[in-house]
Amino acid sequence: MKEKEKSSYRADGGGALSQEQFREWVNRRSHLPLAVKGHTFVLKDDNVIAVDRGKFVYEEALELVKLLNSRNPIAQMNATFMIWERNGALRLIVIGLIAAVVVVVLLLVRR
């Protein structure tokens, strides 16, 4: 096993992960996680890949890799929002923002 494969595959810092490298990782059915731009990809069942605990099918995960490796920051943010939506974090962020707005409105009304 290569030194690079011992802990996890990484696609940050040293360069972007190509689509071909992603396909190779999936086809190898590796039990090691794949790190792409701060997000962790883990193979679960057939055609299911968990990205930060959110479940995606292979085609969606491949699209996430494309978006995360894009030079366009809006595409990268779009991929991050897709991951947050799928793993439930976006819902918590929205609920937190709504609670903060309600508190501010209540404080302003009491004055």
Side-chain angles (χ1 to χ4, degrees), residues 3-92:
E3 182 67 31
K4 177 177 160 180
E5 296 175 345
K6 285 186 179 175
S7 62
S8 70
Y9 293 94
R10 295 193 55 82
D12 326 285
L17 178 80
S18 72
Q19 294 173 35
E20 187 57 39
Q21 289 170 320
F22 178 77
R23 286 185 188 104
E24 180 183 320
W25 175 77
V26 170
N27 291 337
R28 197 176 302 150
R29 304 299 302 164
S30 175
H31 296 306
L32 299 174
L34 175 71
V36 181
K37 301 289 184 176
H39 299 282
T40 304
F41 289 64
V42 178
L43 287 172
K44 292 292 183 184
D45 302 323
D46 288 339
N47 206 28
V48 175
I49 299 169
V51 182
D52 296 343
R53 295 180 312 274
K55 293 182 181 177
F56 293 86
V57 295
Y58 170 78
E59 292 80 13
E60 294 171 329
L62 181 60
E63 184 64 26
L64 284 175
V65 169
K66 289 181 201 175
L67 292 173
L68 288 170
N69 287 321
S70 171
R71 298 180 91 181
N72 182 351
I74 294 173
Q76 293 174 359
M77 282 183 54
N78 187 29
T80 300
F81 284 133
M82 289 169 56
I83 294 167
W84 287 353
E85 185 268 330
R86 204 57 74 89
N87 70 13
L90 187 59
R91 186 176 319 143
L92 295 175

